[in-house]
Amino acid sequence: MEALLSPHTKRIVIIWIGRLGDMIITTPLITAIRGSAPNAHITLVTGGAGAGGAALIEGIDELLILKRASSPLHNLQLVRALRREPADILIDFNSAFSRAAGILCRLARAKVKVAFERPHGNGAFDRLAGPAGIEEHMLDRYGRLGNLIGVNPNETPHLKPSGKAPPIAGTGPLVVIHPGNFKKFDNRWPEENFAELFDGFQGRAVWLAGPGERDAVEATASGCDRSYPVIGPLSLEDTAALFSEAQLFV
């Protein structure tokens, strides 16, 4: 497949109406795109749910936020920005159908438009990666999309740690523990498993609580024989800085 990116590429638009985790998982592909087009101006368009994570992605020159329908003037200005100058390539990262992403892709001006194949809405694109598999890991999924445009992303998601990690007492490797999604108990690891895993651990560890999770995390931590501090909630920037200092995240 002919590579679509080069040092001569001037403008790239990425459409990715995802959330925080979605942003992180695509960072290897974004890094590979930047490496293949080092002189390009890269614009990332996302929704409000992904804005915080998108702001921590390295290699992005411009971040445009699609807001809810209650902000029509703002969204009109976004569309004008996408139509002002044609991009060399537009890449839709949404592997599932997104009405908002589809509209933006159709309205944006670009010499080549690339996306995943979906049940409908494929007519706006020049190149299509095969549809996302139900059991396909997202890193593999975006690896295929990268191969379609001539890049090979590595398998290490990362963000730029622009914040400051809170001080953690002790020395040695740091382990950060988060008990999981408290709104989806069926998807969470049982509390007793954390106790079994960390009761014999002799290193430095800290429990991380997100917004509204402090009491629940402290309750989980109390089930362990050995006590580790509970911190948080932290800003996304400070959380990224904490992860950059940790050797393991559970």
Side-chain angles (χ1 to χ4, degrees), residues 33 150 160 244:
I33 291 171
K160 54 186 178 185
S244 71

Side-chain angles (χ1 to χ4, degrees), residues 32-231:
I33 291 171
R34 168 54 73 197
S36 295
N39 302 313
H41 180 93
I42 299 180
T43 298
L44 172 61
V45 183
T46 190
L56 299 178
I57 298 177
E58 294 181 311
I60 299 299
D61 300 298
E62 181 182 22
L63 180 61
L64 300 179
I65 309 300
L66 177 67
K67 296 188 176 181
R68 296 184 180 274
S70 57
S71 303
L73 180 59
H74 170 89
N75 292 335
L76 179 59
Q77 293 172 340
L78 186 155
V79 171
R80 286 174 175 171
L82 294 178
R83 293 188 58 80
R84 187 175 300 120
E85 178 184 355
D88 293 286
I89 179 172
L90 177 146
I91 312 167
D92 183 3
F93 277 18
N94 295 273
S95 57
F97 175 74
S98 166
R99 184 179 302 276
I103 293 173
L104 291 177
C105 290
R106 287 183 177 276
L107 293 176
R109 297 172 62 201
K111 298 175 183 177
V112 177
K113 297 183 180 181
V114 179
F116 288 100
E117 182 181 348
R118 292 174 288 246
H120 51 276
N122 297 320
F125 301 98
D126 303 288
R127 289 193 184 184
L128 293 169
I134 296 177
E135 298 183 358
E136 182 181 32
H137 195 286
M138 288 187 71
L139 286 174
D140 296 329
R141 182 180 305 173
Y142 289 104
R144 290 195 297 106
L145 186 62
N147 293 336
L148 182 67
I149 60 176
V151 301
N152 295 301
N154 62 43
E155 297 184 1
T156 307
H158 65 280
L159 297 174
K160 54 186 178 185
S162 59
K164 183 178 181 180
I168 308 297
T171 59
L174 174 64
V175 177
V176 177
I177 316 162
H178 185 268
N181 190 336
F182 289 97
K183 295 181 179 179
K184 297 182 179 180
F185 286 92
D186 292 341
N187 296 343
R188 294 184 57 238
W189 215 31
E191 282 79 358
E192 58 269 21
N193 287 11
F194 285 98
E196 182 179 354
L197 179 63
F198 287 101
D199 279 347
F201 179 67
Q202 298 299 315
R204 190 167 59 122
V206 63
W207 293 83
L208 178 64
E213 297 177 346
R214 183 87 186 194
D215 291 344
V217 173
E218 288 180 346
T220 303
S222 67
C224 296
D225 291 339
R226 185 166 182 180
S227 177
Y228 298 107
V230 177
I231 62 172

